Amino acid sequence: MRATRCATPRKPRPGSPSGRQAWLAPRVHRLHHRPVRTLRAGRLTRCTGQTPGRAGRQSPPACHIRIFRISLVKHAGITCAGRRVPDQARRGTRNLRGSVMSRIYRSLCLAHAMDALRQGLSHFSGTSRVALLMSLKRGDHLRVYDPQNLLRDHEPRLRETMLDHIDWMLTGPPMRGISPHEQHPLPDPQLTGLIAHACRTRHTWLQVWFTEEHPGMCSTGPTRCWLEYAANQLSLDLGTVGSLRAGVSAFLLQGYALHAVRDWIVDQRNRAMGPDTKLRVYPTLDAVLGISHTREEGAWPEGRLAFIEPAWCERLDYLARFPAHERPLLANLRHCRKMLQSVTGSDRILVSDGVSITGITREKLPPCTIVADYRGRHGFLWLDAELVCSFSDGSFHSSDRRPNLVHLEEFLFEARCTAEEQQKLRRVALRIVECAQDRKHGCALIIDLGTPPRTLAGQSLVTPVDLDTDEGLSLACALAKVDGALHIRRDGALHGFACLMDGLSVAGENRARGARFNSALRFTANKDDLMVIVVSADRPVSVIQRGVELTSACAWLPPSTFATPPLLEHWIQGP
C-alpha cells in the first residue's frame, strides 16, 4: 500500500527535532522504520530495530528504505533515538572513510599504470620491467613501487641521491605553480643500465620512473617520452580521486608506441627548427607503416622514402620532379608502393612533402628530414643521421634488429680469453648470425674453448679455415646452410661443419622449438667450456650454455593491486 502524506502537518513532540528534521520525522513514521545508522565507539554501525505498523500495512521495498536511510543520515544527521550525531564525530568518520578510499584508489592507479606501462614497453622493446619512486607532498617520505625488483643492486646509488643528498629535490617551482597538464623536469638519477625520468607535477611532489635500457636499442628517446607520459597520466589520476579514470590511463599507456615515436621526433625537430613547421608527423608515420606491409607483385618494399619540410621542396635538386597536379598522394598507399620500385637497389631517394610524393633525388637531404628505409619485411626510421626506431608487422619497435650476443661476451671474458681472441670470436659469430638472418635460414655455431680440443662427429677438415679473411668468413657463412653445426675453436678458425649435437634428455626442452634448439640443450648439458648459438629461420637467436637457454625471459606476474609501497629507507635495508 502506498503511503500518502497527511494534509495537516504534525506538531513536533517535546524533545523531537525541529526544522528540516521535523519535516523528515513523519516520513520515518510512515515507513515504520527508524534510521538505521548510529555512531558507536567512533564508528558507524547498523541498527535493526523496527517499529510495528498497523495490521495489513506492507513494508516498503528494501531499495526505497536503503535510499531513505542514506539521505536521512546524510541530510539530517539523526540517530535511531532521534538524537543528532555530533558534527565533529561525523566529520571524523567521513575523513577516515575518505582516507581509506583515497589510499585504495591511489594503489589502484599505481597498479594499473605500472602494469600497462610494462606491457606496452614489452611490446616495443622486448620483455621489460618498470619501477617508480614517488612522494605526494613536500616533506613526505619517498615510497618505492618495484614489483619486479628492477632497482635491486642499485641501493647505494639510491641512498646517495634520494636520501643523503636531496638538494636537487628542493629546486623548482611549488606544486601549485604547475598547471595540471604540465610537469617540471628534475635531474636524472643516472642509474647504470636504466632509463629514468624524474619530474614534479601539480599533484605529486616527486615522480622518478625507471625501465630497462635494452642492448641494441635504436634510441632511448621514445622510451623517455613514454615515461614522461606515464608521469603525466598518474598525476592526473591522483588529482581526480573518485573519477575512476585509471582504466583510461592504462589503456593509453599500453598502446603509446606510435605516439612515443611521434613525440620524440617532434621534440627534436622543434629544438632544431622551432615549433613553426609544416610537416605533420602523424600522417607521415601512418604512411610509413602502411607502405611497409603493402606488397607489390608479392614483393615486400625496398628503398628509401624521405619526408622533408615543404619549404625545402623548391630548393632541392631533383633527378625527376612531378607536376603538382600529378603527384601521388601519401594516402594512396598502393600508388606510393609502386613508386618505391623506382629507387629499389640504388642510392636514389623518393621525396615527399608529407602530403604527396614530389620527385626523386640523389642529393644530400636538408636538415630535420625523416627517412624511412625499407628493407623487405622490416625497415628503419631515421631523423637525419640518428636512428629512431625500426618497424615491422605494422608497428614500431626500439630494436636495431642486430643479434644480441652479450652472453657470448660474458662467456669469453669468464673463460679468460685474450682481448684479441674475444674480438675475433665476437666478429666471426656476429657475421655468421647476421648472414643467416638475412638469408632466412637456420644454423648453429659451437664456440669450443676446451683444452685439449675435442673432436666432434661431423665433417672434419684437414686444414682449419682461417676466418680472419673475407674469403674464409664467406665460406663459413655458406657452410652454415648445411644441416648440422659449425665447430669454431679458441683460435677463431673453422675446424668442422655439419657437426651432430647429441646428448641425454634434459629438463627445459621445448617441443615448440625445433630439433636444432633441443639438440643444443642436450649437447651442452654436461659441458662447461663451450657455448652454442642457435639461429632459427624466423630470426630468433638463442644462446645456450650448460643445458640452459640464457636468452630466455620469464613472464612477470602481476603485482598485488592494493599493496602499499614501502618507504625507500625500509626498502634499502632489505626484506
Side-chain angles (χ1 to χ4, degrees):
M1 181 179 294
R2 186 173 182 179
T4 58
R5 185 173 183 180
C6 299
T8 304
R10 301 188 182 189
K11 296 182 179 180
R13 293 176 296 177
S16 63
S18 60
R20 183 179 181 86
Q21 301 175 19
W23 182 85
L24 290 171
R27 307 186 70 173
V28 180
H29 179 75
R30 287 195 306 275
L31 292 176
H32 307 289
H33 207 284
R34 299 189 179 186
V36 294
R37 296 200 177 197
T38 184
L39 191 64
R40 293 181 181 175
R43 61 188 179 88
L44 287 173
T45 58
R46 187 176 297 273
C47 178
T48 58
Q50 186 171 0
T51 303
R54 292 179 295 181
R57 177 170 293 185
Q58 299 178 355
S59 299
C63 60
H64 294 174
I65 296 177
R66 188 178 303 113
I67 296 173
F68 173 74
R69 294 171 185 171
I70 296 174
S71 62
L72 183 64
V73 173
K74 179 178 179 181
H75 297 292
I78 59 178
T79 63
C80 294
R83 294 189 300 270
R84 188 178 186 86
V85 177
D87 293 341
Q88 184 178 1
R90 288 191 292 113
R91 285 196 299 268
T93 303
R94 189 159 52 245
N95 292 339
L96 176 62
R97 182 171 55 190
S99 63
V100 173
M101 290 302 297
S102 297
R103 185 168 64 251
I104 294 176
Y105 177 77
R106 187 160 55 245
S107 300
L108 187 65
C109 292
L110 281 171
H112 284 179
M114 297 285 289
D115 192 54
L117 180 61
R118 179 188 61 80
Q119 293 185 28
L121 289 175
S122 296
H123 287 291
F124 184 65
S125 304
T127 304
S128 302
R129 297 175 289 174
V130 292
L132 172 65
L133 300 180
M134 187 175 66
S135 176
L136 292 179
K137 299 179 182 179
R138 182 186 178 104
D140 285 357
H141 292 280
L142 277 172
R143 291 191 176 272
V144 184
Y145 197 87
D146 186 17
Q148 285 92 33
N149 295 323
L150 175 64
L151 300 180
R152 285 299 175 191
D153 300 331
H154 293 279
E155 290 90 342
R157 179 62 179 172
L158 290 174
R159 180 187 296 275
E160 177 185 356
T161 57
M162 301 295 176
L163 296 179
D164 297 340
H165 303 89
I166 61 173
D167 295 340
W168 62 276
M169 296 186 192
L170 306 178
T171 60
M175 295 170 58
R176 292 187 176 275
I178 305 174
S179 65
H181 295 277
E182 293 181 355
Q183 52 183 265
H184 175 73
L186 295 173
D188 190 334
Q190 300 292 336
L191 299 187
T192 304
L194 299 181
I195 303 173
H197 174 73
C199 67
R200 179 178 304 147
T201 64
R202 176 65 174 255
H203 304 290
T204 57
W205 174 253
L206 176 64
Q207 289 188 58
V208 188
W209 290 82
F210 299 93
T211 189
E212 293 164 310
E213 183 176 356
H214 296 273
M217 293 183 72
C218 297
S219 172
T220 61
T223 304
R224 295 183 187 276
C225 292
W226 211 322
L227 297 181
E228 179 183 350
Y229 187 72
N232 186 46
Q233 288 299 308
L234 181 60
S235 176
L236 293 176
D237 289 343
L238 298 179
T240 54
V241 177
S243 65
L244 295 179
R245 68 182 300 274
V248 177
S249 297
F251 177 78
L252 295 174
L253 286 174
Q254 187 170 347
Y256 197 68
L258 173 65
H259 310 284
V261 174
R262 178 261 178 191
D263 290 348
W264 174 249
I265 293 177
V266 169
D267 289 345
Q268 297 301 105
R269 285 172 54 86
N270 288 345
R271 291 190 183 99
M273 303 179 62
D276 188 17
T277 58
K278 300 293 182 63
L279 181 64
R280 302 277 72 87
V281 179
Y282 270 132
T284 297
L285 298 181
D286 288 339
V288 169
L289 293 180
I291 296 173
S292 68
H293 53 74
T294 302
R295 289 191 287 183
E296 177 64 21
E297 297 181 355
W300 294 98
E302 294 185 4
R304 289 183 294 169
L305 173 59
F307 302 88
I308 67 176
E309 191 67 24
W312 289 94
C313 291
E314 302 297 330
R315 312 176 194 176
L316 203 62
D317 185 15
Y318 291 93
L319 294 175
R321 188 177 181 183
F322 308 138
H325 61 282
E326 295 182 6
R327 293 174 180 175
L329 296 176
L330 281 181
N332 192 343
L333 300 178
R334 178 65 63 182
H335 196 178
C336 295
R337 173 65 185 90
K338 290 180 179 292
M339 295 299 300
L340 195 62
Q341 296 180 106
S342 61
V343 298
T344 299
S346 67
D347 59 348
R348 296 185 295 272
I349 304 173
L350 206 61
V351 180
S352 170
D353 59 358
V355 177
S356 60
I357 294 178
T358 60
I360 302 173
T361 187
R362 189 183 283 128
E363 188 185 2
K364 182 179 178 181
L365 298 173
C368 297
T369 297
I370 303 173
V371 179
D373 184 7
Y374 295 94
R375 301 184 182 183
R377 302 192 64 170
H378 71 280
F380 297 96
L381 193 68
W382 298 77
L383 181 61
D384 292 338
E386 182 179 1
L387 183 59
V388 178
C389 63
S390 61
F391 54 87
S392 61
D393 300 325
S395 59
F396 291 108
H397 305 277
S398 68
S399 172
D400 61 2
R401 300 183 65 86
R402 301 189 66 184
N404 181 11
L405 300 181
V406 174
H407 298 288
L408 174 61
E409 298 178 6
E410 296 175 352
F411 172 65
L412 297 177
F413 180 78
E414 293 174 356
R416 297 183 178 181
C417 295
T418 63
E420 182 180 355
E421 291 175 342
Q422 294 182 31
Q423 181 180 2
K424 183 176 181 180
L425 289 173
R426 282 199 306 268
R427 182 177 62 84
V428 168
L430 184 62
R431 172 68 183 281
I432 296 176
V433 170
E434 287 181 341
C435 182
Q437 289 182 330
D438 293 340
R439 296 177 180 178
K440 298 179 177 58
H441 66 79
C443 72
L445 284 72
I446 301 175
I447 309 299
D448 185 6
L449 304 182
T451 52
R454 56 173 58 88
T455 302
L456 303 181
Q459 181 63 58
S460 58
L461 300 174
V462 176
T463 303
V465 177
D466 186 10
L467 300 182
D468 266 343
T469 63
D470 293 339
E471 185 177 359
L473 197 53
S474 177
L475 176 61
C477 292
L479 294 176
K481 298 181 65 175
V482 182
D483 288 341
L486 301 181
H487 185 198
I488 301 174
R489 292 181 181 170
R490 182 186 290 263
D491 57 0
L494 179 64
H495 290 261
F497 65 96
C499 298
L500 302 179
M501 297 183 292
D502 54 0
L504 301 177
S505 178
V506 296
E509 294 183 5
N510 188 353
R511 294 185 178 181
R513 304 294 300 270
R516 185 183 291 111
F517 174 84
N518 290 291
S519 297
L521 290 178
R522 298 184 178 189
F523 181 69
T524 60
N526 57 354
K527 301 177 180 64
D528 297 335
D529 52 1
L530 61 80
M531 174 179 285
V532 176
I533 302 174
V534 177
V535 183
S536 299
D538 53 354
R539 289 192 60 84
V541 178
S542 303
V543 180
I544 301 174
Q545 185 183 14
R546 301 184 184 94
V548 178
E549 182 187 1
L550 303 181
T551 51
S552 62
C554 300
W556 299 108
L557 297 177
S560 175
T561 304
F562 299 109
T564 301
L567 298 177
L568 178 58
E569 51 266 28
H570 297 165
W571 180 86
I572 288 179
Q573 295 174 0

